[in-house]
């Protein structure tokens, strides 16, 4: 029974989502390990990958837009399904003419665009591995060490950039003398222009070459090479096969079949060089014949505003982003009824990934939903990784709070291994047809990534939503590698504590980093939710971020919030907190492209700020709970 029902109030209904009913089988082992799997097998489908769906949609929805993105003037430009199919075949023929094959893959250095979508799908249709790379490695690096390491692991047969000028230094550093370079804008002599690739008519010889290459594809052939974030070292090359992509498509054909009733509309920024954006979301758009709007926004200050602008114009069927974006969107939705009307108009459900959703943010968005459409919206999420093709567990049912990552998707098995500490946490592992076979050129890391039964180790911890019934789903309980101990030996569960802090200070923080390794007490570094902090007092509205973060009124309000932690029942509390004006750095790997803040790297890069938090007499810009004044400097 929910809290509302117990109080006599009627619980708000949720907008209907037509996911099929799931049954989860649970195996209990003597050592406390649990094995969870779906009671139903993964269905068989005709298509071997997402590109196989394009010809059908070119016939059925030929004149409707397949992809849309903003042009240089801010207007939407689009590519129809019929033209997408024509360009996919033309580009596939050109790639084959360049000599690209399983040993000579296509590498893409720039970000999401209509042209990149065509290239990824053309390579997929022709059996050519495609290796999209994070643009930050080519745009924000000084020595291009990571980009060079990637090219050593996966030597490219051709390289694509949206525009040559921004990538000129990176291209020169890679010394690609014999490697063709493809560009949409400002191509130089000897490089391939986009018009040249797409304008040539297909003759019968080219058609036969494409279809021969397509027919020769085997399930174990490499379809995509994705690279891990490299947050703990150089990126690892994840080889995803056609069998992996086919498993995702088969999963979609069962769980998301309702999307076939009408042409879906998606608006999405998530990068295609990661599993969630590049396999699940891009693949979903192709499989269900969607109109996919490429969002030019990002969940960072100065760019999230573009997402807000786009959501005013586009009403998506499903909208997914990272929790830091939802934090900002909650504020915008509360003050902009037009935005709320547009976002809620056609949304079947919302999604989040990359980190846990703060309860306070979830509640604020549900409050706006109730006011706007008279019902709540289900927030769906799961647990997956690049190594699992972006597919893993999924929670497709309404919950009273966020955090449930659901149960294994069709075809996947989850192993839950009890963790020491007696707090009900498990290490989660996975195997199934969606799980990759290994890292390219790194057999030692591949061996370490799997246990002796072939389950992939995520490095994540979970708890059971209902310990008496594992089929009720799992709650994400943080990265096991991020946990640390205080000087007294107490374990600090960073993930849970970060969420508790954000909720305690809501809506003033957009994200936080928990500090205190080998210290006597816990502190935190955090980034302000600027719009929320400005609302503390009228005089704060005109301040820059640095002045706002250090303003006495903001510090006092945060101190008041920190002093309430123990009143809320917390055993471990944050005793001091400093707001930071400098956003998390992509180039320094403080934040991943998906918006997840790397706690360890941020602590190391900002160690001087952590030292300031532990001074005997803290500076005036540091909020405190009142308890930390008794602590001596360590």
């Amino acid at each position: 029974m929910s809290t509302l029902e117990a109080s006599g109030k009627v619980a708000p209904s949720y907008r209907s989502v037509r996911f099929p009913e799931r049954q989860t089988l649970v195996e209990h082992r003597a050592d406390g390990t649990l094995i969870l799997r779906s009671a139903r097998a993964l269905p068989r489908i005709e298509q071997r990958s997402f590109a196989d769906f394009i010809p059908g949609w070119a016939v059925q929805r030929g004149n409707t837009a397949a992809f849309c993105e903003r042009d240089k003037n801010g207007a939407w430009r689009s590519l129809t399904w019929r033209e997408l199919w024509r360009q996919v075949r033309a580009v596939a023929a050109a790639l084959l003419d360049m000599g690209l094959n399983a040993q000579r893959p296509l590498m893409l250095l720039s970000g999401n665009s209509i042209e990149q979508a065509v290239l990824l799908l053309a390579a997929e249709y022709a059996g050519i591995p495609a290796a999209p790379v994070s643009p930050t490695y080519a745009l924000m690096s000084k020595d291009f060490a990571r980009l060079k390491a990637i090219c050593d692991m996966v030597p490219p047969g051709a390289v694509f950039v949206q525009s040559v000028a921004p990538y000129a230094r990176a291209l020169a550093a890679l010394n690609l003398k014999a490697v063709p370079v493809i560009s949409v804008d400002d191509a130089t002599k000897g490089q391939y222009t986009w018009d040249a690739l797409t304008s040539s008519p297909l003759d019968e010889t080219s058609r036969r070459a494409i279809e021969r290459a397509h027919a020769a594809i085997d399930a174990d052939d490499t379809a995509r090479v994705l690279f891990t974030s490299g947050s703990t070292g150089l990126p690892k090359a994840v080889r995803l096969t056609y069998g992996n992509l086919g498993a995702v498509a088969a999963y979609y054909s069962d769980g998301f079949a309702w999307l076939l009733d009408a042409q879906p509309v998606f608006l999405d920024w998530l990068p295609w060089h990661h599993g969630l954006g590049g396999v699940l979301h891009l693949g979903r758009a192709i499989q269900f014949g969607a109109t996919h709007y490429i969002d030019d926004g990002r969940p960072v200050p100065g760019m999230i505003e573009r997402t807000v602008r786009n959501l005013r114009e586009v009403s998506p069927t499903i909208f997914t982003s990272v929790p830091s974006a939802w934090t900002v969107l909650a504020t915008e939705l509360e003050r902009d009824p037009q935005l709320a009307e547009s976002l809620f108009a056609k949304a079947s459900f919302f999604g989040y990934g990359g980190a846990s959703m703060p309860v306070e943010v979830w509640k604020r968005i549900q409050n706006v939903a109730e006011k706007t459409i008279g019902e709540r919206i289900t927030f769906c999420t799961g647990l997956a990784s690049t190594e699992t093709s972006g597919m893993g567990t999924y929670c497709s049912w309404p919950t009273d709070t966020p955090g449930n990552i659901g149960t294994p998707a069709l075809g996947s098995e989850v192993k839950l291994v009890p963790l020491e500490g007696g707090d009900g946490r498990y290490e989660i592992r996975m195997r199934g047809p969606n799980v990759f076979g290994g890292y390219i050129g790194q057999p030692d890391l591949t061996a370490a990534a799997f246990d002796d039964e072939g389950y992939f180790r995520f490095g994540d911890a979970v708890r059971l939503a209902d310990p008496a019934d594992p089929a009720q789903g799992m709650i994400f309980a943080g990265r096991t590698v991020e946990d640390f101990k205080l000087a007294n030996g107490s374990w600090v569960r960073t993930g849970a504590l970060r969420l508790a802090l954000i909720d305690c200070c809501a809506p003033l923080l957009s994200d936080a980093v928990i500090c205190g390794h080998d210290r006597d007490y816990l502190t935190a570094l955090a980034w302000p939710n600027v719009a929320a902090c400005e609302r503390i007092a009228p005089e704060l509205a005109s301040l820059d971020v640095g002045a706002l973060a250090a303003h006495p009124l903001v510090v006092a309000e945060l101190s008041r919030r920190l002093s309430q932690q123990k009143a809320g029942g917390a055993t471990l509390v944050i005793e001091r907190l400093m707001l930071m004006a400098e956003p998390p750095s992509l180039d320094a790997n403080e934040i991943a492209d998906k918006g997840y803040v790397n706690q360890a790297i941020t602590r190391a890069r900002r160690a001087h700020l952590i030292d300031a938090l532990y001074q005997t007499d803290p500076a005036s810009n540091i909020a405190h709970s009142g308890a930390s004044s008794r602590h001596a400097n360590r």
Side-chain angles (χ1 to χ4, degrees):
M1 181 180 293
S2 70
T3 303
L4 282 172
E5 290 170 327
S7 65
K9 298 180 180 179
V10 178
S13 63
Y14 282 82
R15 176 169 283 180
S16 176
V17 185
R18 292 181 292 159
F19 287 112
E21 291 290 331
R22 295 287 186 229
Q23 181 183 359
T24 301
L25 303 179
V26 183
E27 173 189 339
H28 295 263
R29 293 184 176 176
D31 63 356
T33 296
L34 303 177
I35 305 295
L36 278 58
R37 61 176 66 89
S38 174
R40 292 174 53 211
L42 199 65
R44 292 182 178 273
I45 61 172
E46 178 184 350
Q47 295 83 0
R48 292 176 296 175
S49 71
F50 298 109
D52 283 346
F53 290 92
I54 301 175
W57 292 124
V59 174
Q60 296 180 51
R61 294 177 179 166
N63 293 326
T64 63
F67 289 97
C68 305
E69 71 172 319
R70 300 277 187 186
D71 63 18
K72 294 177 181 178
N73 298 318
W76 290 108
R77 68 183 182 105
S78 63
L79 186 71
T80 66
W81 276 100
R82 183 175 293 111
E83 180 62 12
L84 172 64
W85 178 223
R86 188 195 71 78
Q87 290 194 16
V88 162
R89 287 179 292 170
V91 172
L95 296 178
L96 291 171
D97 285 344
M98 292 179 200
L100 270 63
N101 54 38
Q103 289 72 45
R104 302 188 71 240
L106 170 68
M107 185 167 287
L108 305 98
L109 302 186
S110 49
N112 300 9
S113 69
I114 289 177
E115 290 79 15
Q116 178 162 140
V118 172
L119 272 165
L120 287 170
L121 294 165
E124 184 180 313
Y125 192 82
I128 298 167
V133 178
S134 171
T136 59
Y137 295 161
L139 294 176
M140 301 180 69
S141 177
K142 295 180 180 178
D143 59 8
F144 304 108
R146 292 181 177 227
L147 190 58
K148 291 176 181 177
I150 284 172
C151 286
D152 287 341
M153 285 188 287
V154 185
V159 173
F160 170 76
V161 292
Q162 190 74 20
S163 179
V164 170
Y167 293 88
R169 288 182 57 248
L171 292 171
L174 294 178
N175 193 25
L176 302 169
K177 291 181 180 179
V179 177
V181 174
I182 305 165
S183 177
V184 179
D185 300 318
D186 58 40
T188 60
K189 185 178 180 181
Q191 297 175 341
Y192 288 81
T193 67
W194 187 251
D195 287 342
L197 261 63
T198 57
S199 61
S200 299
L202 276 176
D203 57 28
E204 189 60 30
T205 301
S206 295
R207 292 178 190 272
R208 285 199 298 266
I210 295 169
E211 292 309 318
R212 279 197 306 271
H214 183 69
I217 294 171
D218 184 79
D220 195 46
D221 288 344
T222 304
R224 204 77 57 85
V225 179
L226 301 181
F227 300 92
T228 62
S229 63
S231 58
T232 57
L234 292 175
K236 299 186 287 289
V238 177
R239 185 179 82 92
L240 297 182
T241 66
Y242 282 86
N244 294 143
L245 300 192
V248 178
Y251 160 70
Y252 271 151
S253 72
D254 179 85
F256 287 77
W258 50 274
L259 285 173
L260 294 171
D261 291 351
Q263 185 172 23
V265 173
F266 302 132
L267 174 75
D268 194 58
W269 67 270
L270 287 161
W272 292 340
H273 56 269
H274 282 299
L276 180 57
V279 177
L280 261 67
H281 287 193
L282 179 60
R284 182 183 62 190
I286 299 302
Q287 184 164 348
F288 295 105
T291 294
H292 185 99
Y293 287 82
I294 299 172
D295 182 12
D296 58 344
R298 291 292 184 275
V300 294
M303 296 190 73
I304 189 67
E305 294 81 2
R306 299 182 188 181
T307 296
V308 171
R309 174 190 63 173
N310 293 335
L311 284 172
R312 289 195 184 99
E313 299 180 23
V314 179
S315 295
T317 306
I318 300 167
F319 184 71
T320 298
S321 197
V322 295
S324 59
W326 281 114
T327 299
V328 177
L329 285 173
T331 301
E332 296 299 326
L333 290 166
E334 287 167 339
R335 66 186 183 186
D336 188 341
Q338 178 190 347
L339 174 65
E341 289 281 357
S342 180
L343 178 57
F344 295 131
K346 300 177 181 178
S348 297
F349 66 88
F350 294 149
Y352 64 95
S356 298
M357 169 80 80
V359 174
E360 176 270 341
V361 173
W362 181 89
K363 288 181 177 178
R364 290 167 61 200
I365 293 171
Q366 298 295 10
N367 286 338
V368 178
E370 291 173 37
K371 293 176 183 177
T372 306
I373 59 174
E375 56 188 355
R376 290 181 174 182
I377 298 285
T378 299
F379 270 88
C380 297
T381 192
L383 180 68
S385 69
T386 299
E387 289 90 341
T388 67
S389 309
M391 167 185 158
T393 71
Y394 200 61
C395 180
S396 58
W397 59 87
T399 56
D400 287 339
T401 58
N404 195 321
I405 60 170
T407 54
L410 266 64
S412 297
E413 292 184 359
V414 160
K415 178 194 278 190
L416 301 180
V417 181
L419 288 169
E420 62 179 69
D423 58 357
R425 299 197 317 154
Y426 295 84
E427 180 200 344
I428 182 170
R429 306 174 186 177
M430 179 175 293
R431 71 180 181 188
N434 57 304
V435 179
F436 82 134
Y439 301 110
I440 294 176
Q442 296 177 306
D444 54 334
L445 296 180
T446 297
F450 293 89
D451 69 13
D452 57 359
E453 292 184 296
Y455 288 89
F456 172 69
R457 305 173 188 265
F458 282 102
D460 291 325
V462 299
R463 287 187 176 89
L464 296 176
D466 180 354
D469 184 6
Q472 295 303 311
M474 297 166 281
I475 307 296
F476 181 72
R479 297 280 296 162
T480 56
V481 294
E482 289 183 345
D483 294 344
F484 59 85
K485 286 184 178 182
L486 291 171
N488 64 9
S490 298
W491 272 106
V492 176
R493 308 305 187 192
T494 300
L497 199 59
R498 169 187 159 275
L499 280 177
L501 174 64
I502 292 174
D503 282 335
C504 172
C505 296
L508 303 179
L509 307 182
S510 63
D511 215 328
V513 174
I514 306 301
C515 311
H517 189 278
D518 288 338
R519 304 273 191 169
D520 284 333
Y521 57 97
L522 291 169
T523 62
L525 300 171
W527 290 277
N529 180 345
V530 172
C533 289
E534 287 176 341
R535 292 203 300 270
I536 292 174
E539 60 265 36
L540 301 178
S542 60
L543 300 180
D544 61 35
V545 178
L548 181 70
H551 196 281
L553 290 176
V554 176
V555 175
E557 178 59 21
L558 288 170
S559 296
R560 185 182 72 80
R561 302 293 188 92
L562 293 181
S563 67
Q564 295 176 341
Q565 292 173 98
K566 284 195 173 179
T571 53
L572 282 175
V573 300
I574 304 300
E575 299 194 11
R576 293 180 181 179
L577 181 148
M578 180 194 299
L579 288 182
M580 300 176 290
E582 180 197 357
S585 169
L586 275 168
D587 195 33
N589 287 302
E590 286 187 320
I591 188 170
D593 295 315
K594 295 180 291 185
Y596 181 79
V597 172
N598 185 299
Q599 299 270 319
I601 286 180
T602 306
R603 285 194 295 259
R605 184 171 180 263
R606 306 186 188 227
H608 62 292
L609 299 180
I610 297 174
D611 288 340
L613 284 167
Y614 286 94
Q615 293 299 313
T616 303
D617 298 312
S620 60
N621 67 324
I622 295 177
H624 57 86
S625 67
S628 60
S629 59
R630 68 176 182 269
H631 292 290
N633 179 35
R634 282 187 62 85

